[in-house]
Structure formats: structure tokens, C-alpha cells
């Protein structure tokens, strides 16, 4: 179980933040019919008996930026919005999981999610070799650490080269000048000592790379995270896949604000976590695709789905599902149905779902519904740094170059869907986390940074709700569906 923070944050530190209170009060006044010019907030035609409005929600991946997701959903909940279908990747999968299992669909969940954040020592999630933990911490928290480390290494190598050169020169001169024998000996001792240090260092690095290979090319096992999320699921009576599906599906009695020919019969809740499977190179949707790996899906761990979704390559070890009964006809049928694969693998290896779909809003697309009954909301985390937004391709830093390459891969699939179905973009709110102050892998966040991220998420949600127009969204979605059917 993760250790608790030395100075423990409280839920109140987040929700009673001055900016959050002011933003929420202003938003409520905007949609208060009793206020001057106020109008009721309408974001959906699906309601429960208490007047909560239901939407589908997808949450983007982004490491520790997941705290901003909680700020965003906190505002939505405070404004009476609830979530029918939920989906998320990586950090988005974590908040999606907690919002699925905590309490009932009609209840607010943010306080409990925030409590889990307050109780968690983020650095405990970096549970790899001590040397790796130190390297990661220095790399993330110390500015220009790589450049400084490189300069130190160059100094050491230069010193080693000078000592070797000194050995050669002094050996030659000492035969003519016996007085130099002492300096020759000292030079040999120093070069020998430095050779020993470099040899040990190289051997240690080689050993670390062997460890990395043997551990599935991941610096951190991810065991602490798995135990943490599993405990939270168990505390909310979710031990099996069936428990998870039951929690996701249970809804209060729903009603329509206005008549809709599609009715409410097939409208029900579910949850989806996205993971990338490397053996067959496919996008996996948990728990919907559990039949690919087990004939009895309850032998799989729901905590493993979230662990698979957030397996950041190199940072965390891959998540594995072993001993797949690949010769069982039911397993074969499942692989053929989903992917056209006739010979299933006996082992599946998962990395971060964001590799293939970091913002899986496409799973909410329903071609059978002409007039939408509820919108699909999305929370987009914009973590592109100012220096990496430069259009001049020759001015990018090395990290900027790899950052753009990684973002191109992980965002293309979802971006392609939004380009073809632009109306869905109107349901997406964006949280600006592009400041150099923030790093999505910074598991050493200060309490202030955590609160600041929550505030950014809350402000983004307020801005989104002020501009979202349900009637326009509904009409445009209807037009899109009609065009697609034609």
C-alpha cells in the first residue's frame, strides 16, 4: 500500500480553493433563472427523477495530469451532470474507474476520488530500482539535468584521456629524467583508479539494461499502483469483472426531457479502459474484450485493466496476461470476431492505451440513433509545451522532436475520428497544461502543483459549460447522422 504524504492534503484544500469557489459561484449564477438574465443549464435530454442530466464521458490520458480531470468532473457534478457511459485511457482510465465504482450513478464521486489522491504518495508509484528512482527524480525535478550529467561525463572522459596521455608521455620522459618516476607512478595510480570507476560504472549500466530487459523493458514494476487501485476497487465492492460490469450498468430510472424515437430501452451504462496489446498489435477495450483472454472472465482482475491502460512504455513494465487457453474454441471465436485472428496468442502483453487511442471518444458513436438523446463529453489535456509548438521544424529540441513523434502516433486515430465527425468536438473541453511548470511524468508533485492542476481543470469545465449549446449540438449531430445514412 502506498505511503501517505508527510504533510497530508485534505479534500477541502481542493474544493474550498478560492478560485474554485468563485468560478463555481459565477457559473451557478449564469444558469440561475432567478438571476438577471440567467438561464437554466441544459446539456442533455436524459434525466433522472432528481433532475440530474446524463452524458457520456471520455477522459484523456496524461500521467499525473489526471488530477486536472478530477477538477473538471468536480464542476460537472456540482452542476448536476452525471455520467451514463464512461471511457478513459491511462490517467483517464484511473478517474474513469473510480467514478464507475464509487457509490451510485446519481451520486457525486469527486470527494472520494480526491480523498484517494490525498492519501496517495505519488512517488511511491515509482517502485523500481533505487538507482532508477534517483535518475527519474533528478531528470524530472532538476532543470537541464541531462545536459549537466552529460557535461560531467565529458569532464570525466577528458580527465581519463589526459591521464592516459600523461602515462604515455611520462613513461617516455622518465627514462631520461628519473625525477619523473614519482609523477609517473601517481599518474598510473590515478588512471588505474579512474579506469576501475569507469569499469564499475559501465558494468552497472549494463546490469541495469539487463534488468530492464528481464523486467519487460520497464523501469518500474507498477506493483504499487496495481495494489493501490485494486484496494480502491475492493473497498467499493468490485472484485471481479462481473462486479465491474454490474456497477457500470446500474442506473436510476431515466426519463426523456422531450420525446425521442429511439426511446430509452437500450440506453444503459458501461465502462471502457483502453490498452495497447503488442503481441497481436491491437487496441483492446476492457472489459468488453475479456473473452479474448479467458473463458471465465471473472478469473481476470479488473485492477489489471487499469494497470494495463497506464503502462507507460519504459516507465512501467508491460502488463501481461499469461496462460491464455489459445486452443479453446471459445477463445478462437472471440479473436476471430474482434480481429479476424484465427490463432490466438498464449500470452498478451500490454502497454499504455494512449499509444493507439489516448482519447477514445469514437466508442460513443452510435450509427443507429438519428437524433441524439445525450451528448458525448470529452476532457482533453493539452500538454504541448510552448517550445514544441514552433512551426520551424529545425528549431525543435530533441525532447520536442520525440514529443511530436509520440503525440502524432497516440493522437492520430482519435484526431481522425474528430475530423470526420467534427460535431463531436463541440462536446470536448480542453485543460491547458502546457506551462513549463508541469510535467506529465512528475510523480514528485508538490501539494501546490496538485491543487493548481485541479483548479485548471475546474476552470476549464466552467468555461466549457458557459459555451456549450445542447440544441446546436443535437441538431448538428442529427444532420451528421442523416448524411451518413444517405
Amino acid at each position: 500500500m502506498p505511503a501517505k504524504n508527510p504533510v497530508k492534503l485534505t479534500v477541502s484544500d481542493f474544493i474550498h480553493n478560492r478560485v474554485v469557489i468563485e468560478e463555481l459561484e459565477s457559473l451557478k449564477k449564469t444558469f440561475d433563472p432567478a438571476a438577471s438574465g440567467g438561464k437554466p443549464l441544459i446539456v442533455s435530454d436524459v434525466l433522472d427523477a432528481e433532475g440530474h442530466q446524463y452524458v457520456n464521458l471520455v477522459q484523456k490520458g496524461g500521467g499525473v495530469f489526471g488530477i486536472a480531470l478530477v477538477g473538471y468532473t468536480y464542476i460537472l457534478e456540482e452542476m448536476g451532470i452525471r455520467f451514463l457511459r464512461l471511457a478513459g485511457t491511462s490517467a483517464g482510465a484511473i478517474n474513469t474507474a473510480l467514478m464507475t465504482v464509487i457509490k451510485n450513478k446519481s451520486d457525486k464521486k469527486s470527494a472520494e476520488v480526491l480523498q484517494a489522491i490525498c492519501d496517495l504518495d505519488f512517488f511511491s508509484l515509482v517502485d523500481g530500482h533505487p538507482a532508477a528512482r534517483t535518475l527519474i527524480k533528478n531528470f524530472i525535478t532538476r532543470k537541464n539535468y541531462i545536459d549537466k550529467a552529460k557535461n560531467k561525463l565529458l569532464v570525466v572522459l577528458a580527465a581519463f584521456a589526459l591521464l592516459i596521455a600523461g602515462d604515455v608521455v611520462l613513461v617516455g620522459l622518465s627514462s631520461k629524467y628519473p625525477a619523473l618516476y614519482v609523477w609517473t607512478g601517481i599518474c598510473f595510480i590515478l588512471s588505474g583508479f579512474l579506469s576501475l570507476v569507469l569499469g564499475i560504472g559501465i558494468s552497472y549500466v549494463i546490469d541495469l539494461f539487463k534488468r530492464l530487459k528481464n523486467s519487460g523493458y520497464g523501469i518500474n514494476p507498477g506493483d504499487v499502483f496495481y495494489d493501490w487501485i485494486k484496494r480502491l476497487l475492493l473497498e467499493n465492492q468490485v472484485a471481479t469483472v462481473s462486479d465491474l460490469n454490474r456497477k457500470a450498468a446500474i442506473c436510476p430510472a431515466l426519463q426523456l426531457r422531450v420525446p425521442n424515437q429511439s426511446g430509452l430501452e437500450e440506453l444503459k451504462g458501461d465502462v471502457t479502459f483502453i490498452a495497447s496489446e503488442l503481441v497481436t498489435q491491437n487496441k483492446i477495450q476492457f472489459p468488453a474484450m475479456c473473452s479474448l483472454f479467458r473463458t471465465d472472465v471473472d478469473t481476470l482482475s479488473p485492477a489489471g485493466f487499469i494497470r494495463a491502460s497506464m503502462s507507460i512504455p519504459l516507465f512501467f513494465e508491460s502488463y501481461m496476461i499469461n496462460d491464455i487457453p489459445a486452443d479453446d474454441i471459445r477463445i478462437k471465436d472471440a479473436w476471430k470476431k474482434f480481429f479476424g485472428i484465427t490463432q490466438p496468442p498464449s500470452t498478451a502483453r500490454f502497454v499504455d492505451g494512449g499509444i493507439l487511442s489516448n482519447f477514445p471518444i469514437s466508442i460513443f458513436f452510435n450509427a443507429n440513433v438519428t437524433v441524439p438523446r445525450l451528448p458525448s463529453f470529452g476532457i482533453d489535456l493539452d500538454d504541448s509545451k510552448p517550445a514544441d509548438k514552433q512551426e520551424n521544424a529545425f528549431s525543435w529540441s530533441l525532447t520536442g522532436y520525440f514529443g511530436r513523434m509520440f503525440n502524432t502516433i497516440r493522437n492520430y486515430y482519435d484526431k481522425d475520428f474528430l475530423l470526420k465527425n467534427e460535431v463531436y468536438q463541440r462536446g470536448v473541453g480542453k485543460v491547458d497544461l502546457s506551462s513549463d511548470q508541469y510535467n506529465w511524468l512528475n510523480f514528485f508533485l508538490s501539494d501546490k502543483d496538485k491543487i493548481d492542476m485541479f483548479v485548471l481543470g475546474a476552470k476549464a469545465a466552467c468555461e466549457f459549460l458557459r459555451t456549450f449549446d445542447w440544441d446546436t449540438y443535437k441538431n448538428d449531430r442529427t444532420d451528421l447522422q442523416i448524411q451518413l445514412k444517405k
Side-chain angles (χ1 to χ4, degrees):
M1 183 187 303
K4 296 185 177 182
N5 291 324
V7 180
K8 187 177 176 181
L9 278 171
T10 66
V11 173
S12 179
D13 292 326
F14 291 93
I15 64 177
H16 291 153
N17 177 273
R18 178 183 58 81
V19 176
V20 173
I21 292 174
E22 290 176 354
E23 287 282 340
L24 186 56
E25 287 179 349
S26 174
L27 186 65
K28 288 181 176 180
K29 188 177 294 185
T30 300
F31 295 105
D32 181 2
S36 177
K39 58 180 180 178
L41 175 65
I42 299 177
V43 300
S44 173
D45 286 340
V46 179
L47 312 171
D48 63 20
E50 298 178 7
H52 300 128
Q53 304 183 71
Y54 284 77
V55 304
N56 297 327
L57 181 69
V58 61
Q59 301 182 67
K60 189 176 184 179
V64 298
F65 290 165
I67 298 173
L69 298 173
V70 186
Y72 198 106
T73 53
Y74 168 74
I75 295 296
L76 297 185
E77 287 186 332
E78 289 298 310
M79 295 304 292
I81 298 171
R82 299 294 183 265
F83 313 106
L84 187 66
R85 303 180 66 196
L86 287 147
T89 300
S90 197
I94 299 170
N95 198 33
T96 292
L98 296 180
M99 293 179 67
T100 299
V101 304
I102 291 172
K103 295 184 177 179
N104 301 311
K105 269 202 191 301
S106 59
D107 296 321
K108 298 176 183 178
K109 322 304 188 66
S110 296
E112 286 76 10
V113 177
L114 286 171
Q115 189 61 61
I117 291 173
C118 291
D119 290 343
L120 176 65
D121 173 12
F122 280 40
F123 185 42
S124 67
L125 302 180
V126 186
D127 56 353
H129 190 277
R133 286 166 59 91
T134 301
L135 179 63
I136 291 170
K137 185 172 184 177
N138 287 330
F139 174 72
I140 292 173
T141 60
R142 293 175 60 181
K143 192 174 183 180
N144 300 324
Y145 175 73
I146 294 296
D147 289 337
K148 292 177 181 178
K150 180 179 68 175
N151 291 336
K152 289 180 180 179
L153 179 61
L154 289 175
V155 169
V156 171
L157 292 176
F160 181 68
L162 287 173
L163 285 171
I164 295 298
D167 289 339
V168 174
V169 172
L170 288 173
V171 165
L173 292 176
S174 59
S175 59
K176 293 184 178 181
Y177 306 101
L180 294 177
Y181 275 128
V182 174
W183 291 106
T184 303
I186 293 173
C187 195
F188 266 101
I189 291 172
L190 290 175
S191 58
F193 175 75
L194 198 53
S195 297
L196 180 63
V197 170
L198 287 173
I200 293 173
I202 293 171
S203 176
Y204 188 62
V205 169
I206 292 173
D207 181 64
L208 287 179
F209 273 107
K210 287 181 179 178
R211 287 171 180 260
L212 187 66
K213 180 181 179 180
N214 294 336
S215 61
Y217 296 107
I219 296 172
N220 300 291
D223 295 336
V224 172
F225 172 83
Y226 178 86
D227 293 340
W228 174 72
I229 197 67
K230 182 178 181 179
R231 175 176 60 81
L232 291 175
L233 295 182
L234 290 174
E235 287 175 357
N236 289 281
Q237 295 76 54
V238 173
T240 66
V241 174
S242 296
D243 293 336
L244 177 65
N245 287 329
R246 175 183 54 79
K247 270 276 191 176
I250 293 177
C251 293
L254 299 176
Q255 58 193 23
L256 287 170
R257 187 191 307 276
V258 296
N260 189 300
Q261 63 181 6
S262 298
L264 289 169
E265 288 185 6
E266 91 293 354
L267 208 58
K268 59 183 179 180
D270 61 22
V271 64
T272 302
F273 312 112
I274 304 297
S276 303
E277 204 286 303
L278 298 184
V279 177
T280 61
Q281 302 173 49
N282 283 300
K283 181 181 78 172
I284 303 298
Q285 299 179 20
F286 286 118
M289 295 182 179
C290 286
S291 58
L292 294 169
F293 311 104
R294 291 290 186 270
T295 54
D296 179 3
V297 297
D298 282 339
T299 59
L300 294 172
S301 166
F305 305 158
I306 303 114
R307 170 66 180 83
S309 184
M310 55 74 68
S311 299
I312 303 167
L314 292 180
F315 195 88
F316 286 112
E317 292 180 13
S318 304
Y319 183 76
M320 313 288 280
I321 294 181
N322 299 309
D323 303 319
I324 300 171
D327 293 328
D328 191 294
I329 188 62
R330 291 166 291 182
I331 298 294
K332 288 187 173 184
D333 287 345
W335 279 94
K336 188 174 181 179
K337 171 188 172 183
F338 284 116
F339 302 116
I341 293 176
T342 56
Q343 184 53 56
S346 59
T347 297
R349 181 173 185 169
F350 301 93
V351 293
D352 197 304
I355 295 295
L356 293 177
S357 182
N358 204 36
F359 191 58
I361 197 169
S362 60
I363 68 170
F364 294 143
F365 179 80
N366 187 344
N368 298 319
V369 175
T370 302
V371 180
R373 295 153 293 182
L374 73 170
S376 294
F377 280 0
I379 312 175
D380 185 9
L381 303 175
D382 180 11
D383 59 350
S384 53
K385 303 305 177 187
D388 299 332
K389 291 181 179 179
Q390 298 180 48
E391 294 183 1
N392 183 358
F394 296 99
S395 66
W396 299 339
S397 64
L398 182 62
T399 54
Y401 167 74
F402 281 109
R404 280 187 175 242
M405 184 167 59
F406 181 63
N407 285 335
T408 299
I409 297 170
R410 66 174 179 158
N411 293 329
Y412 176 78
Y413 181 86
D414 305 315
K415 185 185 291 184
D416 183 60
F417 172 81
L418 289 171
L419 286 173
K420 293 175 181 176
N421 304 273
E422 190 175 354
V423 62
Y424 280 82
Q425 187 69 57
R426 297 183 184 180
V428 177
K430 184 173 292 188
V431 185
D432 185 2
L433 293 156
S434 59
S435 169
D436 286 329
Q437 175 185 351
Y438 304 117
N439 184 316
W440 68 291
L441 284 177
N442 185 7
F443 287 86
F444 322 99
L445 284 172
S446 67
D447 289 347
K448 180 181 181 303
D449 284 340
K450 293 176 184 177
I451 294 171
D452 287 347
M453 285 185 188
F454 180 86
V455 170
L456 287 173
K459 291 175 68 176
C462 291
E463 181 181 352
F464 169 76
L465 290 178
R466 287 191 181 98
T467 59
F468 180 74
D469 188 313
W470 167 235
D471 287 332
T472 301
Y473 178 96
K474 181 166 60 172
N475 291 335
D476 289 349
R477 275 273 303 274
T478 302
D479 291 342
L480 173 65
Q481 296 296 104
I482 293 173
Q483 291 173 18
L484 290 175
K485 287 184 178 181
K486 286 181 179 179

